Amino acid sequence: MKRLRWPGGLKYRIFTAYLLLVIIPFSLLCLIGFQQIEQILKQQQVEQNKREMGSFREDLLDLAGLMTRSLILINQNPSLEQYLSSDSPHSPFTAMREINRNLDSLANSFFLSTPSVFLTVTDRAGHAYYNYTSRKPIDGGQVYNEIAAGLQEQMAPASYYWKVTDSYVSKEFASGSKLLTIDSLLLDAGSEPYGAVRISMDHRQWLKQWTDAADPQAAYLVLGNGGEMIYRSKEDAQIPDELARRFQEEFRLHPDKLADLTSEREQALYLASYMPSLEWTLIKKISLEQVFAGTNTIKRTALISLVVLTLVFIAATLLISSNVTKPLHKLRDQMSRAADQELRVTIPTSGYRGEILQLLTSFNRMIADIGTLIYRLKVEERQKESVRFQILVSQMDPHFLLNTLNMIKSQALKNKDSTTFDICVSLGLLLETSLNTELDLIPLGQELGFMEAYMHIQNIRFGNRYHLDVEYDPSLYYALVPKFTLQPLVENAIIHGFADTASGGQITVDIHASGQELIMLVMDNGAGPDAARQAAAQAAVRRSRKGIGLSNIRERLELLYRGQASLTLTRSGEEGRTIVEIRTPLLVSEPYAKGESDDV
């Protein structure tokens, strides 16, 4: 996966920073703010329209209540029973006149401010009385039988029932094709039916008057219990079947609840109320675009403002960056020419001011300082060459000794003197290592080889008086250690620790790793540090060469590791052992094959 790279040019960096630090955070804040505003507006719209839908439901319930009360008044009117009963002494003409008068009086009393209400009363003999002009002759017996059958079909005992019927009233009085109707039987004192009553109203006309006076931008729908469309204020008004089912499930559990749902596909808000008496669902549909019209205007204004500000910023960025980058380009060209002429030139500072002048002045000072440093490096290089020459000259004497040792080894091999031959091989290995001044760190395996070669010489000299036990992890064979670190410690143990011991001694070397640290332990059962220091002082009087002590190793560890290595000397009282512990960073070199000769 490729890493994203920061733009190289100054103006591109400024624009990118403006984009990341201003444009994107501001846009996110605007987006979050607009979402919160939309939620608040939507909630306010829901609360406002719930009140309206509650008023819609109450007005329709009041209208249904008027029709129900009219039904009750007709049932309680004693004059109707005397004209409709089968043993009535009145003539049909008189009965029609009195019944129509009662119906007109009732209609004028209750329904002056509502659309026309159509009252129909029939007796069991088939006579029909009504206050309207019918589209076709009304068969009173058929109406009675229809009402009686409808009451028997009700699931629960009821004295009346609601339904939507085809219009039977002349189009001059009811323009709609459907009427909201309540049917009931007229009962005498013995609860025996003597007639039937039907009260109907052009509900579509009433709904149209109500919705026209409400929100003209919204769409109103009325659904029946089976999902059929009772009324819609606009011809294209629809509700998705899924939302209709969800409303029905909601009202089945909570009939009196005002519910609201949102259609993301239509971007519309639906609010609904349920009328259990009529089993109607009243629905209002509002476009979210209408709800968020003000927010969308603010969005467009903010977007235009952001685009204008971005363009202004880009123009200002180009202007400012040009004033900065042009002098920098000139500085770059001058620096290139200075590099080609090996730093022997300076850049003119005339014509510049401010930060650019300070930059050029600093550059000229830097050129001068670099020239001084180069001169010092050349002087130090010549001094190093002189030191190297002296080292090469000093190596001539050891080379002479090494060649002489090779001659002795060849002579011993010729005379079959294996002891002398082994001593020459071990001593040659030590001399050859001392001649290699280029390496300060060598693999642990080679250092152990030097130590064992030295022990081999000492055991030949002293008749195997000393025993060396080496314990280390073979995986540390290529761990890098300072050259001649273990051999001097073993030598000190033999010379000082076992100086007054005739029976020899035990030297144990334990090397292991702990995390990223290499730990080397050299332990002996000699006289101990105090006795060793006294023996060393006495030996120094007799020797002309100073011994290589622990201080030499400490100094070399400090020079190589800069405080990351340590050397400690302790005495174990319980076991009577002297312990030298060296800790260095664990550095492992790659294994390599190196051809070595047996000749020293």
Side-chain angles (χ1 to χ4, degrees):
M1 182 178 178
K2 294 183 178 180
R3 297 179 59 186
L4 296 177
R5 298 183 61 186
W6 192 256
L10 177 62
K11 58 185 177 182
Y12 299 112
R13 291 190 176 189
I14 295 175
F15 179 73
T16 303
Y18 174 73
L19 183 66
L20 295 178
L21 301 178
V22 179
I23 297 295
I24 294 179
F26 180 74
S27 300
L28 292 177
L29 289 175
C30 289
L31 180 62
I32 295 173
F34 288 140
Q35 288 179 346
Q36 293 178 348
I37 292 174
E38 288 178 353
Q39 290 296 327
I40 294 173
L41 290 177
K42 180 180 177 181
Q43 189 63 31
Q44 291 177 349
Q45 192 73 16
V46 168
E47 295 300 327
Q48 176 183 348
N49 284 278
K50 279 186 176 181
R51 291 192 294 270
E52 181 188 279
M53 292 300 293
S55 175
F56 186 16
R57 180 174 180 268
E58 292 300 324
D59 290 348
L60 191 54
L61 285 175
D62 290 343
L63 181 61
L66 288 176
M67 295 177 68
T68 305
R69 285 195 293 273
S70 300
L71 180 64
I72 294 173
L73 289 175
I74 292 176
N75 271 285
Q76 294 176 351
N77 192 339
S79 62
L80 292 180
E81 182 178 356
Q82 66 179 345
Y83 292 117
L84 295 176
S85 61
S86 57
D87 55 352
S88 175
H90 302 285
S91 63
F93 177 77
T94 302
M96 178 179 295
R97 185 185 62 194
E98 292 299 324
I99 292 175
N100 287 339
R101 184 178 60 82
N102 279 275
L103 294 180
D104 291 338
S105 175
L106 182 64
N108 293 331
S109 299
F110 281 94
F111 304 103
L112 291 177
S113 60
T114 61
S116 300
V117 174
F118 311 108
L119 306 175
T120 304
V121 177
T122 67
D123 57 16
R124 302 188 65 175
H127 300 101
Y129 310 94
Y130 42 88
N131 64 342
Y132 54 87
T133 301
S134 63
R135 295 188 179 186
K136 59 182 180 179
I138 296 178
D139 186 350
Q142 180 181 356
V143 172
Y144 178 87
N145 294 331
E146 182 180 342
I147 294 174
L151 285 173
Q152 292 179 357
E153 292 176 358
Q154 299 300 309
M155 297 181 62
S159 60
Y160 65 89
Y161 64 92
W162 293 89
K163 68 177 181 178
V164 176
T165 61
D166 293 333
S167 178
Y168 51 86
V169 182
S170 173
K171 292 183 178 182
E172 296 179 359
F173 298 94
S175 60
S177 60
K178 299 290 183 179
L179 298 176
L180 175 62
T181 300
I182 182 172
D183 290 344
S184 178
L185 292 178
L186 298 175
L187 305 178
D188 58 15
S191 298
E192 291 295 328
Y194 62 86
V197 58
R198 169 171 289 175
I199 303 176
S200 300
M201 182 191 69
D202 188 353
H203 60 284
R204 295 198 178 193
Q205 182 181 358
W206 184 89
L207 291 172
K208 186 175 186 305
Q209 290 177 355
W210 197 96
T211 55
D212 288 346
D215 188 355
Q217 296 182 341
Y220 295 86
L221 303 97
V222 179
L223 301 181
N225 188 38
E228 69 276 7
M229 186 68 67
I230 302 295
Y231 170 78
R232 72 179 89 188
S233 61
K234 297 180 180 181
E235 291 297 329
D236 58 346
Q238 293 288 344
I239 180 173
D241 295 337
E242 176 63 24
L243 294 184
R245 285 194 296 269
R246 290 174 62 182
F247 276 132
Q248 289 180 354
E249 294 173 359
E250 185 73 22
F251 293 136
R252 192 177 296 114
L253 299 175
H254 308 284
D256 296 329
K257 179 180 179 181
L258 289 172
D260 63 277
L261 293 173
T262 302
S263 174
E264 298 296 339
R265 182 175 60 84
E266 294 182 311
Q267 285 295 296
L269 174 65
Y270 289 87
L271 298 101
S273 178
Y274 183 65
M275 294 183 61
S277 59
L278 299 178
E279 295 184 342
W280 283 3
T281 302
L282 313 179
I283 299 174
K284 181 178 181 181
K285 177 181 178 181
I286 309 169
S287 173
L288 290 179
E289 183 177 357
Q290 172 190 347
V291 175
F292 303 140
T295 307
N296 293 332
T297 302
I298 298 175
K299 282 183 180 180
R300 286 191 294 270
T301 303
L303 179 61
I304 294 173
S305 301
L306 188 61
V307 171
V308 171
L309 289 176
T310 302
L311 294 176
V312 171
F313 180 82
I314 291 175
T317 301
L318 293 176
L319 180 61
I320 296 173
S321 62
S322 297
N323 293 331
V324 175
T325 55
K326 285 183 178 179
L328 291 179
H329 290 164
K330 293 181 180 179
L331 177 61
R332 180 194 60 193
D333 298 336
Q334 294 291 341
M335 291 174 65
S336 299
R337 284 195 289 271
D340 295 338
Q341 298 179 23
E342 299 181 354
L343 305 175
R344 288 194 296 268
V345 298
T346 58
I347 301 177
T349 58
S350 60
Y352 299 102
R353 61 181 180 178
E355 289 81 0
I356 300 298
L357 177 60
Q358 295 177 1
L359 179 62
L360 296 180
T361 304
S362 300
F363 176 77
N364 290 335
R365 188 182 302 113
M366 179 188 67
I367 292 292
D369 293 342
I370 291 175
T372 303
L373 290 175
I374 291 176
Y375 174 76
R376 291 179 181 176
L377 288 175
K378 289 180 179 180
V379 172
E380 291 177 0
E381 187 66 27
R382 286 196 295 269
Q383 292 175 349
K384 289 181 180 180
E385 290 176 355
S386 177
V387 173
R388 177 63 179 170
F389 179 78
Q390 295 298 327
I391 292 175
L392 293 175
V393 171
S394 66
Q395 288 178 346
M396 294 304 296
D397 292 339
H399 271 294
F400 171 75
L401 293 177
L402 185 60
N403 292 333
T404 304
L405 186 62
N406 284 331
M407 181 184 69
I408 296 172
K409 183 184 70 172
S410 300
Q411 190 67 26
L413 183 61
K414 181 178 180 181
N415 295 331
K416 297 182 179 180
D417 186 355
S418 60
T419 300
T420 305
F421 179 82
D422 291 341
I423 293 174
C424 291
V425 170
S426 299
L427 182 58
L429 179 62
L430 295 173
L431 286 175
E432 185 178 8
T433 303
S434 66
L435 292 176
N436 188 359
T437 59
E438 297 179 355
L439 296 178
D440 295 322
L441 297 175
I442 62 174
L444 176 62
Q446 292 185 19
E447 180 66 19
L448 292 176
F450 304 153
M451 180 187 66
E452 291 173 352
Y454 172 78
M455 283 298 299
H456 181 66
I457 295 173
Q458 295 300 323
N459 278 324
I460 291 175
R461 177 186 176 189
F462 294 104
N464 293 322
R465 286 174 56 185
Y466 311 112
H467 179 68
L468 176 65
D469 186 11
V470 179
E471 299 178 1
Y472 80 101
D473 188 351
S475 63
L476 299 175
Y477 184 88
Y478 289 98
L480 297 178
V481 298
K483 183 172 61 176
F484 288 122
T485 301
L486 298 177
Q487 183 270 331
L489 297 178
V490 173
E491 181 180 357
N492 285 342
I494 293 174
I495 295 176
H496 305 301
F498 305 134
D500 298 329
T501 304
S503 60
Q506 173 72 33
I507 301 175
T508 302
V509 178
D510 182 9
I511 303 173
H512 60 276
S514 176
Q516 296 299 317
E517 194 174 39
L518 180 67
I519 303 174
M520 296 180 286
L521 301 174
V522 179
M523 300 168 284
D524 66 79
N525 57 353
D530 296 335
R533 276 192 288 270
Q534 294 177 2
Q538 296 174 2
V541 177
R542 298 190 298 268
R543 291 188 303 177
S544 60
R545 182 182 65 86
K546 290 184 65 176
I548 300 176
L550 299 180
S551 60
N552 179 282
I553 301 176
R554 282 196 181 97
E555 290 180 7
R556 288 193 290 127
L557 291 175
E558 178 64 26
L559 290 173
L560 287 173
Y561 297 106
R562 300 295 182 184
Q564 297 183 5
S566 64
L567 185 149
T568 57
L569 174 64
T570 58
R571 177 71 174 176
S572 176
E574 297 178 357
E575 301 178 0
R577 294 194 302 175
T578 301
I579 304 173
V580 179
E581 181 185 65
I582 298 178
R583 291 176 176 263
T584 64
L586 180 58
L587 305 174
V588 181
S589 66
E590 293 291 336
Y592 63 95
K594 180 180 179 182
E596 296 182 354
S597 174
D598 291 338
D599 296 333
V600 292

